[in-house]
Amino acid sequence: MRNLVLLGGGYGNMRIIHRLLPNQLPDDVMITLIDRNPYHCLKTEYYALAAGTISDHHIRVSFPDHPKLKIEYGTISSVDLEGKKVLFHDREPISYDDTVIGLGCEDKYHNVPGAPEHTYSIQTIDQSRSTYQALNNLNAEATVAIVGAGLSGVELASELRESRKDLNIILFDRGELILSSFPKRLSKYVQSWFEEHGVKIINCANITKVEEGIVYNHDDPIHADAIVWTAGIQPNQVVRDLDVEKDPQGRVVLTPHHNLPGDEHVYVVGDCASLPHAPSAQLAEAQAEQIVQVLELRWKGEPLPETMPKFKLKGVLGSLGKKAGFGLVAERPLIGRVPRLLKSGLLWMYKHHNG
């Protein structure tokens, strides 16, 4: 019996499971899913958990129940590529015939002194819970600094504004205009939404140091009762420790079939993979679809196509609280209530399908 071992229960590996089960998995293949948590977490919604506008229960989806799916729990320490084993801090190794590494990402602190020690995070469900506790326990009129105004920072700041109207919120953005990679009309809309809702945006920011309760912007100290870091990501430590070729962002370089060059039994999906798009749940799922196609051909002993189709991504949707949002769908900018409704609908469909 071959063992397909999936490292991490994120969006990519969940899509692989749902494509192979119940009917597409060969009789001589078993799936082993390894994760620290006994459920799939909706990482795209961690910002709302941290802000306190949804409960923990809303972002958990049970793993599928199937006799050919074995779920193992543990904290992975490394992957032995030569021995074809997954090693753990807290249990015996697990051997694989094929493996898909989907361990996600961690915060990247860009060597800013004090940032790892003195900031909160929303990269994992545990970190998001801790951030919620810290933000929820703040006194009235306390100041929250959010470092990084990408999609996560923007959604956290807007959701926190709805959750705690009494707080002073400062959002630090490196660009001259928030979400500068988006069309200008969309960026201006988001910037004006924050201005209307009393969120202070500091553009052209450069965080040089963080201390307990202090953010240094261009070396100028700014007081904050809580500091949340959303200013960049990097692959999981297990992937960073792998002795394989990586791109400048530390993501693993892969063949067109999503496996390691020279090792057709090791695939990488999602945030840890070097792909021609910014990491996202949508991208991880699109990549997972192709990995399933490759696995099925290899299991049958059939030849692979020389190249795989380009990913067809539908766009980006972001929320500004519960009633407004923004997005870029088919290169068309959307602002206001429609993109927020679209995002809520997609989330409901995802939970309904996977749950």
Side-chain angles (χ1 to χ4, degrees):
M1 182 72 72
R2 295 180 63 86
N3 193 15
L4 169 63
V5 177
L6 306 180
L7 308 188
Y11 291 96
N13 279 335
M14 281 289 281
R15 179 58 62 93
I16 289 173
I17 291 171
H18 281 288
R19 283 292 174 264
L20 290 174
L21 297 176
N23 302 315
Q24 295 298 110
L25 194 67
D27 292 337
D28 63 343
V29 179
M30 184 85 182
I31 299 176
T32 300
L33 172 65
I34 302 171
D35 201 281
R36 287 178 298 184
N37 298 309
Y39 40 74
H40 167 56
C41 301
L42 303 180
K43 187 173 183 179
T44 58
E45 305 306 301
Y46 284 175
Y47 72 92
L49 174 62
T53 55
I54 62 172
S55 71
D56 197 288
H57 175 74
H58 281 87
I59 59 171
R60 302 198 311 253
V61 176
S62 298
F63 290 133
D65 183 14
H66 192 276
K68 297 200 73 176
L69 173 63
K70 185 179 182 182
I71 300 175
E72 299 279 3
Y73 304 109
T75 302
I76 297 169
S77 61
S78 62
V79 180
D80 178 359
L81 298 177
E82 289 189 8
K84 300 182 74 170
K85 293 180 179 179
V86 182
L87 307 180
F88 298 85
H89 290 293
D90 50 1
R91 56 166 295 162
E92 292 298 307
I94 292 176
S95 298
Y96 65 82
D97 295 286
D98 300 287
T99 187
V100 184
I101 302 173
L103 293 172
C105 59
E106 301 171 358
D107 288 300
K108 186 171 184 178
Y109 296 102
H110 309 285
N111 297 316
V112 175
E117 297 85 3
H118 301 300
T119 64
Y120 292 95
S121 172
I122 58 170
Q123 283 303 323
T124 70
I125 191 167
D126 287 341
Q127 290 172 324
S128 300
R129 289 167 177 149
S130 296
T131 301
Y132 161 71
Q133 291 287 350
L135 299 179
N136 187 60
N137 289 337
L138 291 173
N139 294 327
E141 306 300 326
T143 296
V144 177
I146 299 172
V147 180
L151 188 60
S152 295
V154 164
E155 291 191 309
L156 175 61
S158 60
E159 204 78 6
L160 187 59
R161 167 48 70 230
E162 290 204 347
S163 174
R164 292 287 307 269
K165 291 181 168 55
D166 58 290
L167 294 176
N168 300 305
I169 303 172
I170 305 173
L171 185 59
F172 292 90
D173 178 29
R174 292 188 65 181
E176 295 182 4
L177 186 66
I178 203 165
L179 297 175
S180 55
S181 63
F182 286 80
K184 203 163 189 177
R185 172 171 168 257
L186 191 152
S187 296
K188 286 184 174 179
Y189 171 76
V190 175
Q191 185 115 358
S192 65
W193 189 95
F194 280 126
E195 291 168 357
E196 291 170 9
H197 290 80
V199 174
K200 182 178 180 181
I201 298 176
I202 297 181
N203 296 111
C204 301
N206 180 29
I207 305 305
T208 52
K209 185 170 64 172
V210 180
E211 294 178 350
E212 183 68 33
I214 305 174
V215 178
Y216 289 83
N217 181 38
H218 296 280
D219 293 328
D220 293 330
I222 297 174
H223 166 78
D225 297 284
I227 306 163
V228 186
W229 191 271
T230 62
I233 58 173
Q234 61 184 340
N236 179 281
Q237 184 69 55
V238 172
V239 173
R240 300 206 302 274
D241 290 342
L242 284 177
D243 185 17
V244 297
E245 183 182 358
K246 302 188 180 87
D247 66 14
Q249 287 74 44
R251 301 185 179 107
V252 178
V253 174
L254 302 170
T255 70
H257 304 111
H258 309 294
N259 58 275
L260 295 181
D263 192 340
E264 67 179 39
H265 300 291
V266 178
Y267 302 79
V268 182
V269 70
D271 298 344
C272 298
S274 180
L275 299 172
H277 301 279
S280 68
Q282 184 183 176
L283 179 61
E285 291 181 329
Q287 188 193 7
E289 296 276 359
Q290 295 190 2
I291 290 174
V292 168
Q293 295 171 23
V294 171
L295 283 170
E296 289 177 333
L297 290 172
R298 283 184 165 144
W299 287 334
K300 294 175 184 176
E302 297 180 4
L304 303 180
E306 288 188 13
T307 61
M308 301 298 287
K310 290 184 177 180
F311 298 120
K312 295 181 180 179
L313 304 182
K314 297 175 183 177
V316 180
L317 293 171
S319 67
L320 294 170
K322 295 292 185 243
K323 297 181 179 179
F326 57 93
L328 195 61
V329 179
E331 303 300 318
R332 178 186 173 191
L334 301 176
I335 58 176
R337 192 163 180 80
V338 169
R340 187 66 184 90
L341 291 171
L342 284 173
K343 185 181 178 188
S344 296
L346 289 171
L347 178 63
W348 182 89
M349 288 174 61
Y350 182 88
K351 290 177 68 175
H352 178 75
H353 174 75
N354 287 279

